[in-house]
Each structure stands twice: as C-alpha cells, then as structure tokens.
Amino acid sequence: MVLVLLVTGPVGVGKTAVLHEADSLLIEAGVCHATVELEEIARCWPKAIESSRASFVYQNLAALWSNFAAVGASRLLLSGLVERRSEVERVLTAVPGADVTVVRLHAPLPVLEQRIRLREPASPDGELDGARWWSRHFEGEQPEDYLVATDQRPVREIAREVLRLAGWLT
C-alpha cells in the first residue's frame, strides 16, 4: 500500500506553502516520501494536450511515481485542484496500491483575495476570479476527507495538522 496525501483548496489558500512545509517536516522526521505539485507537471503547452490536460497530468504522475518508488519512496505528498472526489480515481490509477487521503485547505474569501493581491500585484484579476469560483465550487462539492483552516495560522502549524490528520505524524 502507498499512502498518498492530496492537499487541495482554492487559489490563494496556501496549497504550495503547506505542501513545501509538510515536505520539510517529513524530511526532518526521516519519512521516505516524494512530493509533487500536480499543476507543475502539467506545464506543457502544445495544442495536442489542451483537451486532455487532466489525463496528461496523471500520466506524468504515473511515470514520476514509478521512478520515486524505484528509489524507495513509500509515500506520496501531492497538491492540486481537485474538482470532484471522483478525481481521486485518477490518482489510484497512476499510483498502484494507493490509499488516498484528501485534505482541503480553507480560508474566507476576503483572506484569499488579500493574499492574491499581495502575490499578484500587477494583474490579480484571473487569480481572483479563480479563487471566487473554486471557493464556491468546494463549498458545494466537498471532495475532502478533512478540512483545515489556513487563516491566521503559521504555515508550519497547518502542515503539521495536515500530516497528523493523514496519520503521517503524531
């Protein structure tokens, strides 16, 4: 069995920061793992993959996991936007024997908007629209096993809670 922790949430909620901090905590604890941002392994722009970008991401994940497992990784830490719980099936296909825990990060929309404006001062509109859409979507869809608040909390504390909820750290 491969333990997989998938961190999701709307634009601006802190997925990347929490993923990197969780990665650091696992390294400090000596836990053999791999860490992947799903958005990063989708960065390829030929028109041929535009209509099948999600499939492309999980094909890449399968190739990466095969390499990670070959060198001893026994757990996989992921971040990405998960539109529906059924998307977890794609992880199960890409990572044979996966046991997936989904943790959704949450912050109030005004907090997300403030973070995005700080992060993208020149042109925040696209990210702001994304944060608004994903916030509404997640409230209706709720694909997570656990929900973790990220506002007014240090990233390390959030990452520790995410790992604890998944049973990866005590």
Side-chain angles (χ1 to χ4, degrees):
M1 177 174 52
V2 179
L3 297 177
V4 177
L5 174 53
L6 175 53
V7 177
T8 194
V11 176
V13 78
K15 293 181 298 293
T16 297
V18 169
L19 182 79
H20 289 227
E21 194 63 38
D23 178 69
S24 293
L25 288 166
L26 292 172
I27 291 168
E28 290 169 18
V31 176
C32 296
H33 71 286
T35 302
V36 175
E37 287 186 67
L38 294 174
E39 183 178 322
E40 291 301 316
I41 63 173
R43 290 189 184 273
C44 183
W45 303 108
K47 287 188 181 262
I49 68 159
E50 250 342 282
S51 64
S52 62
R53 186 164 301 282
S55 295
F56 182 71
V57 167
Y58 291 101
Q59 290 169 357
N60 285 346
L61 180 61
L64 287 170
W65 177 249
S66 174
N67 291 333
F68 292 145
V71 296
S74 58
R75 297 177 188 207
L76 180 58
L77 183 57
L78 300 173
S79 72
L81 291 166
V82 176
E83 207 167 325
R84 294 177 179 77
R85 183 66 190 198
S86 61
E87 282 187 46
V88 172
E89 293 297 320
R90 291 178 180 248
V91 176
L92 298 173
T93 300
V95 181
D99 180 14
V100 182
T101 300
V102 179
V103 175
R104 178 168 59 103
L105 304 178
H106 171 76
L109 189 54
V111 171
L112 300 178
E113 290 172 341
Q114 178 185 23
R115 290 176 182 172
I116 290 167
R117 284 188 177 97
L118 289 171
R119 183 177 80 189
E120 309 285 339
S123 57
D125 293 341
E127 296 287 296
L128 289 168
D129 289 344
R132 292 172 187 134
W133 187 91
W134 280 102
S135 291
R136 284 189 309 270
H137 176 78
F138 280 126
E139 291 308 314
E141 191 65 31
Q142 300 178 344
E144 71 276 1
D145 297 303
Y146 301 101
L147 182 66
V148 173
T150 66
D151 53 317
Q152 306 298 318
R153 298 176 64 195
V155 174
R156 192 165 183 90
E157 178 184 309
I158 298 163
R160 190 176 303 283
E161 180 179 353
V162 165
L163 292 170
R164 184 188 56 74
L165 286 169
W168 288 26
L169 289 180
T170 55

